[in-house]
Amino acid sequence: MGKRKNQYLPNPPIEEIEPIIRELFQMQLNDKQILDRLLEEHIDRSKYGLGLTKFRAIKKEIGLLGTRSQKHTLESINQPIKDLRKRFPKAGVQDMKMNLFHERGMCVSRSLISTHFLVCEPKLLEERKAHRLKRKIFFAAGVFDMVCVDQHDKWLYLGLGLHTGVDPFVGRLLWINVWWTNKNPRLICSYYLDSVEGNDNFMPLVTQSDLGTENFGIANAQTVLRQWNDPRLEGSIQHRWMREKKNKGVTEGWYDTTRPLDVLTFCWLFIPWLQTELDRWMYRVNNTRKRADRNKILPHGIPNDINKYPHRYGCLDFKVPDPEALKFVREEFATSTDPVFELVPTVFGHYATEVYGDMGRPALNSDNIWSVYRDLLGRLEELHSNMVSKEYVEVVDSFCVDQPDEPAKVDLMEGSNLLGGMENPNPDGSYYMGGLNGGQGLGMCTGSQC
């Protein structure tokens, strides 16, 4: 009698599904949710099969342990929470759960973290109370209906300019970048174009920002890309303008924002480190389910998951396939040769890198960065005093610490504005800010327009 053939299909190769498992695990989906997603979206079920027991064995094999398997206690989470509290002093239960998972690889239940807070941080619990917000009705039609961009200027006196872009329908951060300025339209445009490339070359229907000239580059680039993709949009601007606008080292005297060497050293050390921290924070936010909100009608879920699988949430997907216009638009509105893309002058960067190497290239964190900065600054001051290089001294002495009021000028394209918006609300007070049907939304589009 011959050997009986196995009635079950073979399991898919681990190397093919491991990246997907890790990606979904980072979204903190449970085992059944991950398995369902694999079977429905990624595994050819005519060739392979996978059951829950085998899936859990694979998950354990690649080192992904869940809350029950890690078996944390009040004692095991006490010190990690104390360490994270230094960096995230206002984190509540949900934020601390997210930080423990993404920063320490610890899967901890909400109930255990809540118990820790009650026992160890009773005063902080009293302080973390929600403030009443004045609500307005806002709606978007679907994923990538619009992308909103904004800058944060409160750190500019330190020489740090923040800028961010978000898909408000999903609540997904597309970028949050720090540089020595956030006023240059070519720099800001490059953030947007990098985001398009990083999202599989998809662009939104429209972009949105305030009226600042730093946003002219994004407005022009978005308009050209959309018109290139859809010639019917020629003569119209595919950007919506918002016409209404709603640190220890400095206090200790370690960083003088009027001294060129201080500013150069600060930028060279802090900006890359801060960008890494911001990237990690954005990754955590985009892979974490938002708190339930009964007033929200937009989809509830994990931003990255909604963005990648909008059909699973009953959402429309308005990502516009990018034509081969991206290279042209980048050269036109965000050319890489612009001086704004230089972190510090090349000569200074060379000496800073050399000195940092002599220091042993210490790994930076929030506890040691100011000490490293002071040590690095002292060594670079010594090079300056000893005149080790005439070119180095000239670069430092000639560096202007004040940002120019008028960076590289970019003229705004001409064309008709989008319809809808805050200026044209619906009878119930709601308003549509996206780009569907020329800005009028789903309710006004018919037939092929939809």
Side-chain angles (χ1 to χ4, degrees):
M1 183 174 177
K3 187 176 180 181
R4 181 180 296 176
K5 186 177 180 181
N6 193 333
Q7 61 179 315
Y8 298 108
L9 293 171
N11 298 135
I14 293 181
E15 60 271 16
E16 291 184 8
I17 61 173
E18 180 179 346
I20 306 299
I21 294 175
R22 291 188 179 279
E23 177 185 337
L24 297 173
F25 182 77
Q26 287 298 307
M27 297 180 189
Q28 300 186 63
L29 300 182
N30 62 39
D31 290 350
K32 189 175 185 308
Q33 290 172 325
I34 297 175
L35 178 59
D36 288 345
R37 190 67 54 84
L38 285 171
L39 293 173
E40 294 171 15
E41 304 283 352
H42 300 284
I43 292 176
D44 184 350
R45 301 179 72 174
S46 66
K47 296 169 58 178
Y48 301 112
L50 185 61
L52 186 59
T53 301
K54 180 59 179 179
F55 167 74
R56 285 173 172 163
I58 292 174
K59 187 162 156 273
K60 185 176 181 180
E61 182 180 337
I62 61 178
L64 302 179
L65 301 179
T67 304
R68 292 182 179 178
S69 298
Q70 291 193 15
K71 299 178 181 178
H72 285 292
T73 63
L74 284 175
E75 290 74 21
S76 67
I77 68 172
N78 183 47
Q79 191 57 48
I81 288 181
K82 285 183 178 179
D83 294 340
L84 288 169
R85 181 62 70 200
K86 297 175 185 177
R87 294 175 57 198
F88 308 102
K90 296 184 179 180
V93 174
Q94 180 61 28
D95 287 342
M96 187 58 71
K97 183 176 186 293
M98 174 184 72
N99 291 328
L100 284 168
F101 179 76
H102 289 291
E103 295 289 328
R104 299 300 180 91
M106 298 171 63
C107 293
V108 185
S109 68
R110 285 180 58 93
S111 60
L112 185 60
I113 297 173
S114 296
T115 302
H116 177 276
F117 282 5
L118 285 169
V119 173
C120 303
E121 301 180 348
K123 291 184 179 179
L124 285 177
L125 273 179
E126 295 178 8
E127 295 175 4
R128 288 193 292 268
K129 291 187 177 180
H131 297 282
R132 293 187 178 274
L133 301 176
K134 183 178 179 181
R135 297 186 180 276
K136 286 191 176 183
I137 302 174
F138 162 89
F139 66 89
V143 176
F144 262 42
D145 184 15
M146 75 185 84
V147 164
C148 305
V149 306
D150 200 7
Q151 66 275 355
H152 179 83
D153 296 338
K154 293 183 178 179
W155 286 358
L156 280 180
Y157 78 101
L158 299 173
L160 299 172
L162 289 170
H163 198 275
T164 188
V166 62
D167 178 350
F169 181 84
V170 178
R172 178 173 178 257
L173 292 169
L174 302 176
W175 71 84
I176 178 166
N177 290 346
V178 62
W179 201 242
W180 50 264
T181 182
N182 58 8
K183 302 296 185 184
N184 188 292
R186 297 189 183 279
L187 176 70
I188 303 306
C189 183
S190 75
Y191 295 160
Y192 171 65
L193 297 178
D194 288 345
S195 172
V196 172
E197 289 183 337
N199 282 279
D200 297 324
N201 291 327
F202 285 115
M203 73 189 84
L205 293 184
V206 296
T207 46
Q208 173 194 298
S209 72
D210 61 37
L211 277 169
T213 57
E214 67 274 4
N215 296 312
F216 283 8
I218 283 183
N220 290 343
Q222 169 69 7
T223 298
V224 170
L225 286 170
R226 290 288 284 116
Q227 290 177 356
W228 194 306
N229 180 264
D230 186 353
R232 294 174 300 175
L233 299 175
E234 187 172 347
S236 64
I237 301 298
Q238 296 303 298
H239 181 92
R240 194 182 290 280
W241 300 104
M242 296 296 292
R243 303 181 188 277
E244 294 183 20
K245 295 184 70 175
K246 310 196 166 169
N247 173 335
K248 178 179 176 181
V250 179
T251 58
E252 295 288 344
W254 298 337
Y255 174 35
D256 185 347
T257 59
T258 65
R259 293 183 67 229
L261 189 56
D262 287 43
V263 174
L264 286 167
T265 305
F266 183 86
C267 287
W268 186 88
L269 188 68
F270 271 79
I271 287 179
W273 174 72
L274 282 171
Q275 187 61 64
T276 300
E277 291 290 299
L278 290 170
D279 289 344
R280 290 166 64 184
W281 181 78
M282 184 174 75
Y283 180 83
R284 294 197 300 271
V285 170
N286 286 341
N287 281 292
T288 301
R289 186 186 302 273
K290 299 292 187 291
R291 179 178 296 179
D293 183 355
R294 60 187 175 86
N295 296 294
K296 180 182 176 184
I297 61 173
L298 296 177
H300 288 74
I302 300 161
N304 273 344
D305 197 37
I306 301 173
N307 178 74
K308 191 168 184 178
Y309 307 100
H311 58 280
R312 300 185 68 89
Y313 294 84
C315 302
L316 297 175
D317 190 353
F318 293 105
K319 299 188 190 80
V320 180
D322 175 56
E324 295 185 0
L326 194 60
K327 183 178 180 181
F328 165 79
V329 169
R330 187 180 289 278
E331 287 300 317
E332 186 73 15
F333 301 114
T335 175
S336 60
T337 57
D338 193 291
V340 73
F341 295 105
E342 187 176 66
L343 175 62
V344 293
T346 304
V347 172
F348 178 84
H350 168 76
Y351 280 96
T353 301
E354 193 173 85
V355 170
Y356 195 65
D358 293 340
M359 294 168 56
R361 301 187 181 279
L364 299 174
N365 56 59
S366 56
D367 292 328
N368 74 353
I369 191 165
W370 279 109
S371 297
V372 174
Y373 162 80
R374 294 170 67 192
D375 188 6
L376 179 63
L377 178 62
R379 295 176 185 232
L380 290 170
E381 281 181 329
E382 187 175 347
L383 293 181
H384 186 273
S385 300
N386 294 338
M387 300 285 288
V388 295
S389 165
K390 182 179 179 181
E391 189 178 16
Y392 169 74
V393 173
E394 288 178 350
V395 165
V396 172
D397 291 345
S398 63
F399 181 76
C400 180
V401 297
D402 296 319
Q403 294 186 26
D405 294 330
E406 292 294 334
K409 185 178 179 182
V410 172
D411 295 324
L412 186 63
M413 295 176 64
E414 296 183 357
S416 60
N417 292 322
L418 292 161
L419 302 173
M422 296 181 67
E423 298 85 359
N424 301 288
N426 296 317
D428 63 357
S430 63
Y431 53 90
Y432 175 65
M433 298 296 293
L436 190 64
N437 191 30
Q440 297 180 89
L442 283 167
M444 296 296 293
C445 68
T446 59
S448 61
Q449 290 179 324
C450 294

